[in-house]
């Protein structure tokens, strides 16, 4: 390898810097902070200064990750840094992948391959690449009254069971991500499941408890190795149609009780996860967690969405994880993240992340994607986090970008939303279509694994 000796030297220096600073700002995101996030970071440093005593702030390790294409030597080093192991990773550190759309992708005719060009289960490719945990979203009833799927994977319980069994077969554990909705649940919407509409809070709590316990029972009966359960998805602003935090906590308690009971009945150690997003500025999310703790909710860990193009810089993310550990005694992990390897669109349905979203230091290349993941893992680990789940690394085009793929999306639910979702979610028509995530997968548009998928092995 060209510049190998230079690389080794820089890598050694980089590790030394890591030891001294806890890898503060090891990503080149430091250079990419916007004024706004810089303000957040400054506020964070003021508020959580105790967390930052050993952090050097603007560390000089940008030489290790490179400053961009203007400096060939730096770029060479950047390309190689992601191939190095991360020191001190726990044996059970989570190398997670959300593959919720995989089953409908396969039904839509998408093929996945190994590095030799042989067709291969994407789950096996992930397992072979070092992924040890699979995340699967579950919607209560993502179908209209005629049985037409809402799309976005049509992720009902049988889908989770089928994918979960396959993941278990490859030796991976499963995180079950209950949305407690019939379709996408996020900060913008938390629509109550059709079957729970009109219920009082206590009736809804009871239904949520029954649903959680019954669903987990079915997963265990099928042999799925469930290791963690998310009670709700990105519930910053509510859950299952409830917006008051006291009401949400009541629902969460019902979910938590169901998980604890089945955990005891089946002799399984299942982690109970509460999932938030929008971690920057951090004060909002930390105030929410405080309410959960003060409200007496029984839970084990926090799952956080962290998309670097939306959710602030890595220092803020690290400080949130550290704060959760130090002040609430809870572990945290990244429940969702992603980064693009190209700016191309593969299926004729525009992508969510484009040029203006790129984070400085991470170009829209295979190396950029891998470098981002390496830096993220390094930072999560140094903050005491449990690991990282990548979001939808196998959501590929179902047909070429110049074709009309809508019939396939509609029939199998392999796009964001089908036309059948509108009755339930009035905004679904706005995002009706295909995959807006195909430039952020770990496979190319034709289903061949990218070199960046090897980053998980290298990190270990
Ligand atoms: Ca697309």
């Amino acid at each position: 390898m060209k510049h190998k000796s230079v690389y080794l030297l820089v890598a050694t220096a980089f590790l030394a810097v890591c030891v001294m600073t806890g890898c503060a700002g090891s990503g080149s995101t430091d250079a990419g902070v916007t004024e706004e996030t810089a303000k957040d970071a400054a506020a964070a440093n003021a508020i959580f200064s105790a967390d930052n005593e050993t952090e050097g702030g603007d560390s000089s390790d940008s030489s290790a990750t490179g400053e961009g294409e203007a400096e060939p030597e730096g770029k060479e080093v950047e390309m190689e840094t992601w191939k190095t192991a991360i020191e001190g990773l726990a044996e059970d550190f989570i190398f997670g992948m959300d593959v919720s759309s995989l089953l409908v992708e396969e039904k839509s005719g998408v093929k996945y391959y190994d590095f030799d060009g042989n067709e291969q289960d994407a789950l096996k490719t992930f397992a072979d690449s070092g992924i040890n945990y699979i995340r699967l979203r579950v919607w209560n009833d993502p179908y209209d009254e005629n049985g037409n799927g809402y799309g976005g994977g049509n992720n009902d319980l049988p889908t989770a069971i089928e994918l979960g069994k396959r993941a278990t077969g490859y030796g991976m554990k499963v995180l079950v991500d209950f949305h407690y909705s019939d379709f996408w649940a996020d900060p913008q919407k938390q629509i109550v499941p059709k079957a729970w509409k009109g219920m009082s809070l206590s009736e809804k709590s009871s239904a949520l408890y029954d649903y959680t316990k019954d669903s987990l029972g079915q997963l265990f009966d099928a042999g799925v190795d469930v290791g963690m359960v998310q009670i709700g998805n990105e519930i910053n602003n509510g859950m299952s149609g409830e917006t008051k935090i006291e009401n949400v906590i009541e629902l969460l308690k019902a979910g938590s009780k169901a998980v604890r009971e089945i955990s005891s009945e089946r002799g399984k150690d299942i982690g109970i996860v509460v999932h938030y997003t929008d971690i920057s500025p951090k004060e909002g999310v930390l105030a929410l967690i405080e309410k959960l703790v003060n409200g007496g909710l029984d839970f084990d860990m926090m799952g956080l969405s962290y998309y670097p193009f939306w959710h602030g810089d890595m220092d803020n993310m690290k400080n949130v994880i550290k704060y959760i550990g130090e002040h609430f005694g809870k572990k945290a992990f990244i429940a969702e993240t992603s980064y693009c390897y190209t700016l191309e669109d593969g299926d004729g349905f525009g992508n969510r992340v484009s040029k203006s979203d790129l984070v400085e230091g991470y170009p829209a290349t295979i190396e950029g994607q891998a470098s981002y993941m390496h830096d993220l893992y390094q930072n999560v680990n140094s903050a005491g986090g449990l690991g990282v789940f990548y979001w939808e690394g196998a959501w590929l085009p179902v047909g070429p970008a110049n074709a009309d793929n809508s019939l396939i999306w509609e029939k199998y639910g392999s796009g964001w939303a089908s036309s059948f979702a509108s009755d339930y979610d009035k905004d679904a028509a706005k995002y009706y279509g295909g995959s807006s995530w195909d430039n952020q997968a770990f496979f190319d548009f034709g289903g061949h694994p990218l070199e960046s998928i090897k980053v998980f092995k290298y990190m270990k």
Side-chain angles (χ1 to χ4, degrees):
M1 194 73 211
K2 199 156 60 107
H3 301 308
K4 193 170 183 186
S5 55
V6 174
Y7 157 64
L8 281 173
L9 199 68
V10 175
T12 309
F14 174 57
L15 285 172
V17 169
C18 274
V19 170
M20 289 186 293
T21 66
C23 282
S26 67
S28 22
T29 44
D30 279 357
V33 241
T34 62
E35 201 179 320
E36 199 179 334
T37 51
K39 265 186 276 171
D40 292 342
N45 285 337
I47 293 169
F48 302 105
S49 55
D51 296 334
N52 291 324
E53 276 169 2
T54 57
E55 295 180 6
D58 186 25
S59 74
S60 57
D61 60 347
S62 58
S63 56
T65 47
E67 291 288 359
E69 294 176 17
E71 296 177 32
E73 196 161 278
K75 182 167 183 180
E76 180 76 15
V77 172
E78 177 190 3
M79 286 172 67
E80 285 304 296
T81 301
W82 66 271
K83 295 187 177 177
T84 58
I86 295 176
E87 299 294 319
L89 284 181
E91 188 70 25
D92 58 353
F93 200 78
I94 296 169
F95 287 77
M97 183 64 58
D98 191 311
V99 294
S100 299
S101 67
L102 181 61
L103 199 61
V104 298
E105 287 285 287
E106 293 167 347
K107 288 177 180 172
S108 298
V110 173
K111 306 275 187 223
Y112 299 87
Y113 300 90
D114 66 14
F115 276 101
D116 297 323
N118 306 307
E119 205 174 315
Q120 176 167 281
D121 186 347
L123 283 167
K124 175 162 170 45
T125 307
F126 281 130
D128 289 350
S129 305
I131 295 294
N132 58 17
Y133 233 113
I134 289 297
R135 180 175 184 260
L136 300 169
R137 63 177 165 269
V138 177
W139 291 321
N140 291 40
D141 177 26
Y143 301 95
D144 71 6
E145 67 276 17
N146 298 315
N148 298 304
Y150 292 161
N154 293 344
N155 287 97
D156 56 7
L157 183 65
T159 303
I161 289 173
E162 190 163 342
L163 288 172
K165 276 164 65 178
R166 279 165 52 183
T168 300
Y170 294 119
M172 299 181 283
K173 295 176 87 73
V174 173
L175 163 59
V176 178
D177 169 20
F178 288 121
H179 283 220
Y180 297 132
S181 182
D182 290 341
F183 204 36
W184 298 111
D186 54 43
Q188 278 71 48
K189 55 181 182 296
Q190 294 279 340
I191 305 172
V192 66
K194 295 183 286 293
W196 302 353
K197 203 174 175 183
M199 285 184 172
S200 68
L201 181 62
S202 65
E203 289 168 340
K204 203 187 280 182
S205 299
S206 176
L208 190 149
Y209 164 85
D210 289 340
Y211 172 77
T212 304
K213 202 160 175 192
D214 176 63
S215 300
L216 291 174
Q218 290 188 49
L219 282 154
F220 280 122
D221 287 345
V224 179
D225 188 10
V226 178
M228 291 193 282
V229 174
Q230 253 185 251
I231 45 175
N233 190 77
E234 296 189 339
I235 58 169
N236 301 50
N237 298 325
M239 189 171 87
S240 294
E242 301 293 333
T243 52
K244 284 187 187 161
I245 184 86
E246 313 86 73
N247 293 2
V248 171
I249 289 174
E250 279 310 298
L251 295 178
L252 293 174
K253 284 181 175 175
S256 166
K257 181 168 180 273
V259 180
R260 286 284 186 251
E261 284 181 8
I262 201 135
S263 180
S264 159
E265 287 167 19
R266 305 283 177 140
K268 291 270 188 180
D269 185 16
I270 311 171
I272 298 177
V273 183
V274 177
H275 178 206
Y276 284 138
T277 180
D278 295 339
I279 62 170
S280 179
K282 69 168 74 59
E283 288 71 22
V285 72
L286 295 177
L288 284 169
I289 299 170
E290 186 149 30
K291 284 179 178 161
L292 300 180
V293 172
N294 292 343
L297 177 67
D298 174 19
F299 70 107
D300 301 310
M301 48 196 108
M302 293 300 311
L304 307 168
S305 290
Y306 175 68
Y307 294 98
F309 32 85
W310 294 329
H311 299 142
D313 61 22
M314 287 212 202
D315 278 344
N316 179 73
M317 179 275 298
K318 277 174 70 174
N319 286 333
V320 172
I321 291 178
K322 279 188 193 168
Y323 192 90
I324 290 169
E326 290 168 6
H327 294 263
F328 302 125
K330 305 288 182 188
K331 288 288 186 181
F333 63 92
I334 300 303
E336 295 184 17
T337 193
S338 69
Y339 204 74
C340 59
Y341 74 89
T342 177
L343 295 174
E344 299 291 310
D345 166 41
D347 68 352
F349 181 71
N351 290 334
R352 195 73 183 276
V353 167
S354 56
K355 194 172 182 185
S356 61
D357 298 304
L358 293 180
V359 177
E360 197 172 330
Y362 305 112
T365 61
I366 288 166
E367 290 77 21
Q369 184 188 40
S371 296
Y372 165 70
M373 289 302 284
H374 194 278
D375 289 347
L376 177 64
Y377 269 78
Q378 189 131 25
N379 279 291
V380 169
N381 186 51
S382 71
L386 295 171
V388 175
F389 285 85
Y390 195 90
W391 197 72
E392 289 282 14
W395 197 354
L396 306 185
V398 299
N402 59 4
D404 179 2
N405 298 308
S406 54
L407 287 178
I408 303 175
W409 297 327
E410 194 81 348
K411 182 172 181 185
Y412 298 106
S414 41
W416 268 105
S418 75
S419 64
F420 308 111
S422 295
D423 280 349
Y424 177 70
D425 175 2
K426 60 179 170 42
D427 292 327
K430 290 181 192 163
Y431 47 94
Y432 167 76
S435 171
S436 64
W437 223 255
D438 51 39
N439 62 331
Q440 303 196 74
F442 278 100
F443 296 86
D444 67 18
F445 296 156
H448 300 275
L450 304 175
E451 281 293 304
S452 48
I453 204 174
K454 295 179 179 172
V455 69
F456 303 104
K457 267 257 162 85
Y458 285 126
M459 287 192 285
K460 293 182 183 184

